[in-house]
Amino acid sequence: QVQLVESGGGLVQPGGSLRLSCAASGFIFRNYDMGWYRQPPGKEREWVALIDSTGRITKYTDSVQGRFTISRHNFKNTLYLDMKNLNSDDTAVYSCSLRRGGTSVAFGQGTQVTVSS
């Protein structure tokens, strides 16, 4: 059974940083591409960053390019999202996803990130 458990969210001031983690189990983590998504309050879920199974290829949505870094540790079965220079537009519930065939097939419950002074 696929399990994705996010952690690391919280309240941060504008300009601050956070590191999100996603602990994966129930599948062979190193074989799959992964992603981070977010759902701002009152809006649809949107993709934030994607990473291939090796960790060598990454892709970011324009609004986080240069501020967020997606990475993975295949021996620890863990996905990361390092976020810096956060602003209020980054306030959202962040979820990690398992990707298969170019689409996300499973999501975690998410972790809340709130950027506010």
Side-chain angles (χ1 to χ4, degrees), residues 63-80:
S63 62
V64 308
Q65 182 75 48
R67 301 187 299 119
F68 289 13
T69 302
I70 187 171
S71 62
R72 63 193 296 161
H73 196 308
N74 282 350
F75 288 114
K76 294 183 178 179
N77 291 350
T78 304
L79 179 73
Y80 303 101

Side-chain angles (χ1 to χ4, degrees), residues 4-101:
L4 300 167
V5 181
E6 302 89 344
S7 61
L11 174 64
V12 61
Q13 292 188 340
S17 301
L18 276 177
R19 174 178 244 206
L20 305 183
S21 299
C22 171
S25 61
F27 63 102
I28 303 174
F29 182 73
R30 64 181 181 273
N31 287 353
Y32 291 92
D33 299 350
M34 298 289 293
W36 283 100
Y37 286 70
R38 68 185 180 186
Q39 185 167 18
K43 296 184 179 180
E44 296 290 317
R45 182 164 56 195
E46 61 184 10
W47 77 276
V48 174
L50 307 175
I51 189 167
D52 79 323
S53 60
T54 68
R56 297 190 187 104
I57 300 173
T58 59
K59 185 177 180 181
Y60 300 91
T61 194
D62 288 346
S63 62
V64 308
Q65 182 75 48
R67 301 187 299 119
F68 289 13
T69 302
I70 187 171
S71 62
R72 63 193 296 161
H73 196 308
N74 282 350
F75 288 114
K76 294 183 178 179
N77 291 350
T78 304
L79 179 73
Y80 303 101
L81 185 67
D82 288 291
M83 307 183 294
K84 64 179 181 181
N85 196 20
L86 288 160
N87 60 62
S88 58
D89 290 338
D90 298 316
T91 294
V93 175
Y94 285 73
S95 302
C96 62
S97 75
L98 161 65
R99 294 179 62 79
R100 188 160 56 206

